[in-house]
Amino acid sequence: MSAFVRIGGVAHHVVVQGHGPVCLLSGGLGQAWFDWDAVTRLLAPYRTVVRFDRPGLGLSAHARVAPSLLGEADRIGRVLDACGATGPVTVVGHSLAGLHCEAFARLRPERTAALVLVDSSVEEDARPRPAPALRAGATRACGTVLAASGLPYALGPALRRAAVRLARTGGRDPAPRDLVRRVYGTGRATRAVLAENAGYRDVAAQLVAVRRQFPLPEELPVTVLAAGESRRWLERQVWLARTLDARLRISPGSGHLVMLDRPEDVARAVLDAGTAQAEA
């Protein structure tokens, strides 16, 4: 099922496939629902898989407010509400969305069956930057100018493909060219990427504060799935796993886009997390 649901007055693109317990997949900076296609094919026989596009990304409408950690955690809950998923679910976040999903698990433990962080963003001691409103306004203005210039249509798809090639070890971007053009050849996507990038440090700092106030449930299965390409990055993933008292898994030979390089590793982490939750 592919549908549009209104959250905060913004049309969100949501895709639901499969059967069984629910798991929600949330992508990193600038990603779209189709980046999870290979993982979804592996999970759908065993899980009801929910994918969604944050505002401005994929096929979702443009954002009305700047991104925030609490806003993104709330968005996850409201997407699940729209899909009729009332019970606990496995939440899976890649990169930037790892921050969002961890916050959701801390703030809504009654709705979280397991947490899987796929090469999640790691900020050990993030602090908010000054003048967030001023920076948000400047980012919106920059996005508007770029959109009006036509550069997103001319360069957006090529930049997307170049970014994917740099972030994986397994080759080119597997996404269909027509979808890449439809999604990334727009000013909407450009503005969304700029806004998420500009607010990244603030979102990470907000998670540091949430961690202090809202502990993860002791019985919650948490998995950190790390790309195995960079030793320095792997050390930070080890830190994250220790901080969250999580099971650490390494995806050997994978780049940052683990769902493209090693989708079977992501699917296995999700399925095993569900098994661990059932046994707890």
Side-chain angles (χ1 to χ4, degrees), residues 159-204:
L159 290 174
R160 145 77 192 201
R161 293 201 180 278
V164 169
R165 285 195 299 269
L166 288 172
R168 62 175 307 204
T169 59
R172 63 180 182 82
D173 184 357
R177 288 188 175 275
D178 59 335
L179 281 180
V180 170
R181 169 62 65 185
R182 183 180 179 188
V183 169
Y184 294 95
T186 67
R188 183 186 72 251
T190 299
R191 290 193 294 267
V193 170
L194 289 174
E196 288 197 339
N197 186 64
Y200 170 75
R201 287 286 179 181
D202 298 312
V203 168

Side-chain angles (χ1 to χ4, degrees), residues 52-71:
F52 73 101
D53 295 321
R54 292 190 298 277
L57 301 176
L59 300 181
S60 291
H62 180 58
R64 298 189 175 187
V65 297
S68 71
L69 184 74
L70 298 184

Side-chain angles (χ1 to χ4, degrees), residues 103-195:
F104 177 81
R106 291 178 181 275
L107 296 169
R108 301 300 303 272
E110 77 284 357
R111 299 197 69 175
T112 309
L115 173 64
V116 178
L117 303 176
V118 181
D119 219 40
S120 178
S121 295
V122 181
E123 296 297 336
E124 295 88 341
D125 189 28
R127 298 180 183 181
R129 294 189 296 171
L134 181 62
R135 286 187 287 105
T139 300
R140 283 195 298 270
C142 180
T144 299
V145 170
L146 285 174
S149 72
L151 283 176
Y153 181 81
L155 300 178
L159 290 174
R160 145 77 192 201
R161 293 201 180 278
V164 169
R165 285 195 299 269
L166 288 172
R168 62 175 307 204
T169 59
R172 63 180 182 82
D173 184 357
R177 288 188 175 275
D178 59 335
L179 281 180
V180 170
R181 169 62 65 185
R182 183 180 179 188
V183 169
Y184 294 95
T186 67
R188 183 186 72 251
T190 299
R191 290 193 294 267
V193 170
L194 289 174

Side-chain angles (χ1 to χ4, degrees), residues 26-262:
S26 187
L29 176 69
Q31 290 186 299
W33 85 98
F34 51 71
D35 288 310
W36 294 101
D37 278 353
V39 174
T40 300
R41 284 193 292 270
L42 295 171
L43 286 177
Y46 314 101
R47 296 288 186 272
T48 299
V49 182
V50 176
R51 295 179 279 171
F52 73 101
D53 295 321
R54 292 190 298 277
L57 301 176
L59 300 181
S60 291
H62 180 58
R64 298 189 175 187
V65 297
S68 71
L69 184 74
L70 298 184
E72 295 308 326
D74 181 66
R75 193 184 317 281
I76 291 171
R78 296 178 73 175
V79 166
L80 293 172
D81 290 342
C83 298
T86 56
V89 308
T90 297
V91 286
V92 183
H94 170 256
S95 195
L96 170 64
L99 308 181
H100 308 159
C101 290
E102 182 187 335
F104 177 81
R106 291 178 181 275
L107 296 169
R108 301 300 303 272
E110 77 284 357
R111 299 197 69 175
T112 309
L115 173 64
V116 178
L117 303 176
V118 181
D119 219 40
S120 178
S121 295
V122 181
E123 296 297 336
E124 295 88 341
D125 189 28
R127 298 180 183 181
R129 294 189 296 171
L134 181 62
R135 286 187 287 105
T139 300
R140 283 195 298 270
C142 180
T144 299
V145 170
L146 285 174
S149 72
L151 283 176
Y153 181 81
L155 300 178
L159 290 174
R160 145 77 192 201
R161 293 201 180 278
V164 169
R165 285 195 299 269
L166 288 172
R168 62 175 307 204
T169 59
R172 63 180 182 82
D173 184 357
R177 288 188 175 275
D178 59 335
L179 281 180
V180 170
R181 169 62 65 185
R182 183 180 179 188
V183 169
Y184 294 95
T186 67
R188 183 186 72 251
T190 299
R191 290 193 294 267
V193 170
L194 289 174
E196 288 197 339
N197 186 64
Y200 170 75
R201 287 286 179 181
D202 298 312
V203 168
Q206 291 158 16
L207 180 59
V208 171
V210 167
R211 283 175 177 163
R212 295 193 190 106
Q213 298 180 56
F214 300 93
L216 289 171
E218 292 184 4
E219 70 279 6
L220 180 71
V222 182
T223 302
V224 170
L225 176 62
E229 188 180 33
S230 166
R231 171 178 284 187
R232 177 173 293 185
W233 179 247
L234 184 56
E235 289 173 352
R236 300 182 71 189
Q237 295 291 307
V238 169
W239 177 90
L240 179 63
R242 289 175 177 168
T243 299
L244 303 183
D245 193 23
R247 175 191 301 183
L248 175 66
R249 291 189 168 191
I250 300 172
S251 187
S254 173
H256 183 52
L257 295 178
V258 186
M259 72 281 289
L260 299 184
D261 282 339
R262 303 273 298 190

